[in-house]
Amino acid sequence: MAFAYRAGALCAEQVSLEEIARQFGTPCYVYSRAAIEGNFERFANALAGRKSLIAYSVKANSNLAVLGLMARLGAGFDIVSGGELARVLAAGGDPRKVVFSGVGKTQAEIEQALRAGILCLNLESEAELERVSATAARLGVRAPVAFRVNPDVDAKTHPYISTGLKDNKFGVAYADAERVYRDAARHKNLELVGIGCHIGSQLTSAAPFIDAAARILALTEKLAQSGIVLSHIDLGGGFGIRYRDETPAPVSQFVDGALGVLAGRSETLIVDPGRSIVGDAGVLLTRVEYLKPGESKNFVVVDAAMNDLIRPALYGAWHELRQVREAESGAVAGVYDVVGPICESADFLARERNLAVRPGSLLAVMSAGAYGMVMSSNYNTRPRPAEVMVSGTRAVLVRERETVNQLFAAERLLP
Ligand SMILES: *Cc1c(COP(=O)(O)O)cnc(C)c1O
């Protein structure tokens, strides 16, 4: 367990979160290197013996230290912007293991990706195909491309991903896929290297993922009949983690299912996990400022807010809250809403939790390693938190806390 109690205090690996708060201040994101590596190994083990690439989804947590760990483990990267590509390269990632997803790649981003020599641009529309082709022609290169296809997995069988796979903004429709591939094959500056899909996030059952694999494979076989032979199949990410009482299927079940579907095929299998690599490997550490008892509700006001972790406000996401000190003198037990200092009613981290705390107590918001720091903002001119990576008995600052001066350094008074 990356986060466990030792001598009454919650620790990240061997380091007490009290010590981290003292050294680096709060609010602060704390990651466990062993947890990140362990999560990656689960994919690596499940894929052992198969030609494959684990392309870590950078958007889940793009801290350079995290990307550097991934690069050293041999991971590739799934990116959605030129900024993320720059991060991957700065962290020592191999551009030949980068896949570029997203519906709105700009001209400049396409150029940047082609110059860097990435593995594949995942095209999401015919308009994008034209733009990539023209850009490649101008640079005098062949652009390696795949289409993100919407496998349109039966929403009746899988109600929890019934967000209308057919009519979301991502990918090209299954029914159009053969035609767009044949069109693309006529562009001499495009090299059709693969096919991809990504059916959604926080999947807890492997069934829709495996169904999608079968649909994508069927398409791959049809394309081969018309002479379009692809070298990789990218099944996306979306592997769920436990926030509360979810029981996500183990990674091995997703991967084994896909390997079963792809048995006997020679294509490289690509997966792009994000949340399942970093989600449970990080916590947001925050300190109690005030207790505010009320008539119908009791509040704990903490020094972290929705600008630091927006998932509760944005998605109504539920994160487990743990007291760093299991028991402390002067603590007041109660049922509390845990809120931040921001001037919005949506500024809460948790609601109706049993806690025994006092001003100065530390709380850990669990499973905050994915879509936490990356979605933070400076709303209310709040500097973003520090990030700390723990490995064994060592805690290393991997991103300094922002300063208020940095926040307006790029702004100008009118002359
Ligand atoms: C966001 C995204 C992922 C990662 O999703 P997780 O739920 O974090 O695993 C993978 N692939 C694509 C194309 C994505 O957009």
Side-chain angles (χ1 to χ4, degrees):
M1 284 297 283
F3 298 95
Y5 288 94
R6 289 164 207 280
L10 188 60
C11 296
E13 301 191 26
Q14 314 292 315
V15 184
S16 152
L17 292 177
E18 286 177 332
E19 174 55 30
I20 289 177
R22 210 162 48 77
Q23 203 177 338
F24 303 104
T26 56
C28 165
Y29 276 96
V30 183
Y31 309 120
S32 157
R33 175 175 176 166
I36 294 173
E37 291 178 338
N39 288 337
F40 180 87
E41 291 306 328
R42 264 193 279 284
F43 284 93
N45 292 337
L47 286 162
R50 167 87 201 193
K51 214 168 29 149
S52 63
L53 177 67
I54 303 162
Y56 168 66
S57 185
V58 173
K59 72 177 189 281
N61 185 325
S62 59
N63 184 286
L64 290 190
V66 172
L67 302 183
L69 280 183
M70 288 295 132
R72 269 186 268 173
L73 291 168
F77 298 91
D78 173 60
I79 61 164
V80 292
S81 72
E84 287 189 349
L85 176 55
R87 280 182 177 275
V88 166
L89 298 178
D94 182 350
R96 291 164 305 176
K97 292 183 179 176
V98 170
V99 296
F100 193 167
S101 308
V103 293
K105 301 176 198 79
T106 65
Q107 184 82 42
E109 287 176 321
I110 293 164
E111 263 192 56
Q112 182 191 356
L114 291 177
R115 287 187 201 280
I118 70 167
L119 174 66
C120 183
L121 289 120
N122 284 344
L123 307 181
E124 305 220 13
S125 66
E126 296 179 72
E128 192 184 8
L129 174 154
E130 295 300 333
R131 184 181 267 186
V132 170
S133 174
T135 309
R138 194 156 41 72
L139 297 183
V141 298
R142 284 187 89 199
V145 298
F147 281 96
R148 172 167 171 178
V149 175
N150 199 327
D152 207 18
V153 173
D154 186 358
K156 285 200 289 293
T157 3
H158 309 296
Y160 35 88
I161 54 161
S162 63
T163 42
L165 288 180
K166 222 177 204 162
D167 40 50
N168 72 33
K169 72 172 177 177
F170 299 106
V172 301
Y174 195 84
D176 296 337
E178 274 187 82
R179 182 179 54 76
V180 295
Y181 266 94
R182 274 195 243 104
D183 286 351
R186 285 194 282 272
H187 288 248
K188 65 180 192 318
N189 287 95
L190 297 182
E191 185 185 3
L192 290 167
V193 294
I195 186 165
C197 71
H198 172 70
I199 58 172
S201 202
Q202 186 55 13
L203 304 172
T204 51
S205 151
F209 181 81
I210 297 166
D211 285 0
R215 302 265 294 163
I216 294 296
L217 175 63
L219 198 51
T220 307
E221 286 173 328
K222 266 197 208 153
L223 290 170
Q225 283 161 18
S226 33
I228 298 171
V229 178
L230 304 175
S231 51
H232 75 243
I233 295 180
D234 182 346
L235 295 178
F239 314 99
I241 66 168
R242 171 176 288 190
Y243 286 102
R244 186 175 194 171
D245 47 15
E246 305 91 334
T247 49
V251 160
S252 56
Q253 220 176 85
F254 286 89
V255 171
D256 290 349
L259 290 176
V261 168
L262 299 180
R265 305 287 312 185
S266 63
E267 293 88 356
T268 300
L269 171 58
I270 301 180
V271 289
D272 6 295
R275 187 190 313 272
S276 51
I277 301 282
V278 287
D280 65 4
V283 302
L284 173 60
L285 183 59
T286 182
R287 194 180 287 282
V288 174
E289 296 283 353
Y290 301 100
L291 301 191
K292 188 178 172 193
E295 244 170 60
S296 59
K297 262 184 185 298
N298 298 313
F299 295 97
V300 172
V301 185
V302 296
D303 64 2
M306 64 187 283
N307 74 296
D308 304 306
L309 179 67
I310 203 174
R311 297 188 71 258
L314 188 60
Y315 312 118
W318 192 97
H319 284 265
E320 185 191 353
L321 234 62
R322 288 200 206 163
Q323 297 171 201
V324 169
R325 195 35 71 191
E326 276 183 303
E328 51 194 339
S329 61
V332 183
V335 178
Y336 294 101
D337 280 14
V338 178
V339 301
I342 283 184
C343 304
E344 298 281 346
S345 298
D347 182 24
F348 68 95
L349 296 175
R351 284 186 165 146
E352 297 186 0
R353 302 299 172 87
N354 279 300
L355 296 168
V357 289
R358 58 171 168 75
S361 296
L362 291 167
L363 292 171
V365 184
M366 307 305 291
S367 293
Y371 306 105
M373 184 63 174
V374 285
M375 293 182 101
S376 63
S377 77
N378 295 118
Y379 188 39
N380 283 201
T381 305
R382 288 171 51 83
R384 277 176 291 183
E387 292 177 287
V388 173
M389 180 76 71
V390 173
S391 181
T393 56
R394 273 174 29 98
V396 178
L397 185 66
V398 293
R399 178 178 169 135
E400 289 176 22
R401 181 178 308 285
E402 275 177 343
T403 65
V404 168
N405 281 341
Q406 286 174 324
L407 300 194
F408 55 77
E411 296 174 32
R412 297 289 179 267
L413 283 165
L414 290 172

